[in-house]
Amino acid sequence: MWKKILGFGASKEEQDLVSLYDKVPEDRRPRHVAIIMDGNGRWAEGQGLIRTAGHTQGVKTLERIMETCVDLGIEVLTVYAFSTENWKRPRPEVDFLMNLFSEYLDKKIQKMDDNHVQLHFLGREDGMSEALLQKMHAAVDRLAGNDGMVFNIAANYGGQDEILRAAQTLAARAKAGEIAPEDIDEDMFESVLDTAGDPPVDLVIRTSGDLRLSNFLLWQAAYAEFWFTQTNWPDFTPEEFVDALVDFAHRKRRFGGLDKKK
């Protein structure tokens, strides 16, 4: 990153990115960006390839976008990697995604560590293999001492399921006499969500043209801004990501109130 800032020894591509970053004022950048990485299969089909080729290419895109977020000082990046509904896909595709997930942790853990990234996983663990779970836990532990961007991977995740799990946790505490029902407020509820400790989602980006949230971060995105693109995820670039941030920077966020009079 220091090469990009100083311009010394940086490639033309890196220098171009620095100029690109200047388009987004630091005080107008979102703290928490959430991305629905859609369109891997559609990209592959459009290239005359099998669907799994799109997932492989999508991992490369994720790496570029994660590095861009680190460079821009984004506090939290949350990506929708595998939903609770994705188990309905053909078994060979599911198995491929799980193996790809495992390989990603093997190959990218060092780079995440070098960038001081903290890693968290959102969602249920049931359904995951024991070997994959061990690798996930080891990755989280290895990066736990870092103080940089929080990188949340939503895997076997559903927003409704998360809310139900949180409600069940608080109900059990109330039943045990640890808390009274009237003690439950927004802060307490958020403390038992998978994203406990993270700021609310400021910006949700969805690629590949669909205009829906698809059960993603339903609580956390209550007042998020949305940005949609027809671009399939494997073709999504840092330049287009910055376009989304520039658009976000010009949004008026009132959170249910009115604009302050000048």
Side-chain angles (χ1 to χ4, degrees):
M1 179 59 187
W2 62 272
K3 289 196 302 181
K4 296 179 185 179
I5 295 174
L6 298 177
F8 177 75
S11 68
K12 183 178 185 305
E13 181 181 0
E14 288 174 333
Q15 293 179 26
D16 288 344
L17 281 177
V18 173
S19 299
L20 197 66
Y21 298 160
D22 288 340
K23 293 181 179 180
V24 190
E26 289 190 24
D27 62 345
R28 296 291 296 169
R29 295 174 186 175
R31 297 177 65 194
H32 188 166
V33 177
I35 304 179
I36 301 173
M37 306 179 293
D38 203 10
N40 289 337
R42 276 168 264 187
W43 178 89
E45 291 166 1
Q47 302 288 322
L49 305 171
I50 59 175
R51 286 178 56 83
T52 51
H55 297 308
T56 300
Q57 189 65 30
V59 168
K60 297 177 182 179
T61 297
L62 175 58
E63 182 178 7
R64 291 192 295 269
I65 298 305
M66 185 173 72
E67 290 178 351
T68 302
C69 286
V70 170
D71 289 346
L72 284 166
I74 303 299
E75 292 182 35
V76 183
L77 170 65
T78 302
V79 298
Y80 209 1
F82 193 87
S83 75
T84 50
E85 292 75 33
N86 285 156
W87 294 107
K88 302 173 185 176
R89 294 188 176 188
R91 189 69 210 183
E93 183 174 353
V94 171
D95 289 343
F96 180 88
L97 286 169
M98 293 301 157
N99 289 332
L100 188 64
F101 190 23
S102 179
E103 290 176 7
Y104 178 83
L105 293 177
D106 286 336
K107 294 178 180 178
K108 304 305 178 185
I109 187 71
Q110 184 60 55
K111 199 160 194 176
M112 286 189 276
D113 206 1
D114 292 342
N115 284 322
H116 309 288
V117 170
Q118 305 169 59
L119 178 64
H120 297 152
F121 292 98
L122 316 182
R124 289 181 171 270
E125 292 192 347
D126 46 313
M128 304 283 194
S129 71
E130 188 59 36
L132 180 55
L133 286 175
Q134 289 179 4
K135 191 170 291 187
M136 291 163 61
H137 295 160
V140 170
D141 290 343
R142 174 173 170 177
L143 303 179
N146 289 340
D147 59 0
M149 184 186 77
V150 174
F151 180 38
N152 292 326
I153 300 177
N156 197 16
Y157 173 87
Q160 291 175 326
D161 177 74
E162 179 190 25
I163 291 171
L164 284 173
R165 287 186 283 111
Q168 290 165 353
T169 296
L170 293 177
R173 291 181 184 176
K175 183 177 180 180
E178 298 174 7
I179 58 173
E182 57 270 23
D183 293 334
I184 300 173
D185 56 15
E186 287 187 15
D187 289 339
M188 184 181 293
F189 194 83
E190 288 175 355
S191 73
V192 294
L193 291 173
D194 295 347
T195 53
D198 293 341
V201 176
D202 293 306
L203 174 64
V204 175
I205 296 172
R206 181 164 190 160
T207 58
S208 200
D210 285 334
L211 307 177
R212 54 178 176 267
L213 199 52
S214 294
N215 201 18
F216 184 46
L217 300 176
L218 300 180
W219 176 280
Q220 298 88 338
Y223 274 99
E225 300 294 323
F226 290 82
W227 195 86
F228 300 101
T229 176
Q230 294 290 329
T231 304
N232 289 321
W233 176 247
D235 285 332
F236 191 69
T237 63
E239 289 79 7
E240 191 166 7
F241 179 74
V242 169
D243 286 344
L245 300 191
V246 169
D247 183 75
F248 172 85
H250 290 91
R251 303 274 183 99
K252 291 184 178 180
R253 306 187 72 201
R254 295 181 291 273
F255 301 96
L258 300 175
D259 287 331
K260 294 181 180 179
K261 294 182 179 179
K262 296 182 180 181

